[in-house]
Amino acid sequence: MNFLKKTLTSLLILTSLSTAGTFEQNGVKEGNNRVSASIRLTIPKEGDNGFQLLGQFGHFLSDDIEIMADIFSTKLTTKTGDRVTSYLLGIGGNYYFLKTPTLTPYVGGQYYRSGITENGNYNANGTRIY
């Protein structure tokens, strides 16, 4: 079992290193688009059942600058049967300041609109820098 863990870990590391250069050369490039999506379903023994959806689209205006749009939604059913829905819609941009074969760091900012429904509607606007 230990041999299998080491082998799988080694393969994961080698795969990551070999594809990092490909993303840097082909992914962060003027005119390219980036799409990411994830879905998470939680059904714990105790606690709230939940469903989350996250989607992001990015377009590279240059080899260093990406603009993007985000959507995030969560739906929960609490133990008491209440249904809670939250969302976040955002637009933003990233600046890729250093591109190497193994690392592509960036800084970015986002403006978003978020809301939650539970015993009424609550909305908020905000910004974040990362």
Side-chain angles (χ1 to χ4, degrees):
M1 186 68 163
N2 196 17
F3 174 75
L4 181 61
K5 286 182 184 179
K6 287 182 180 180
T7 303
L8 289 175
T9 303
S10 298
L11 286 173
L12 180 64
I13 290 170
L14 287 174
T15 303
S16 299
L17 291 176
S18 66
T19 58
T22 303
F23 177 76
E24 187 275 324
Q25 294 169 4
N26 300 320
V28 181
K29 191 173 186 182
E30 181 178 355
N32 283 0
N33 295 324
R34 181 177 59 85
V35 177
S36 64
S38 66
I39 296 173
R40 180 185 297 171
L41 179 65
T42 55
I43 306 173
K45 275 187 173 180
E46 296 179 16
D48 303 335
N49 295 335
F51 175 79
Q52 292 181 339
L53 172 66
L54 171 63
Q56 189 177 66
F57 174 79
H59 177 74
F60 288 90
L61 297 176
S62 72
D63 288 348
D64 300 323
I65 299 173
E66 175 191 24
I67 58 171
M68 60 185 191
D70 296 327
I71 183 170
F72 176 79
S73 179
T74 301
K75 294 184 182 283
L76 294 174
T77 303
T78 64
K79 289 187 286 186
T80 60
D82 294 331
R83 293 178 181 238
V84 179
T85 302
S86 65
Y87 71 90
L88 181 139
L89 302 171
I91 56 172
N94 294 327
Y95 175 70
Y96 293 81
F97 56 89
L98 177 66
K99 292 183 282 280
T100 68
T102 57
L103 187 63
T104 309
Y106 63 91
V107 294
Q110 182 181 42
Y111 173 79
Y112 62 87
R113 168 103 173 143
S114 62
I116 188 168
T117 60
E118 179 187 24
N119 301 326
N121 291 324
Y122 304 97
N123 295 311
N125 296 327
T127 57
R128 69 180 184 141
I129 297 174
Y130 47 89

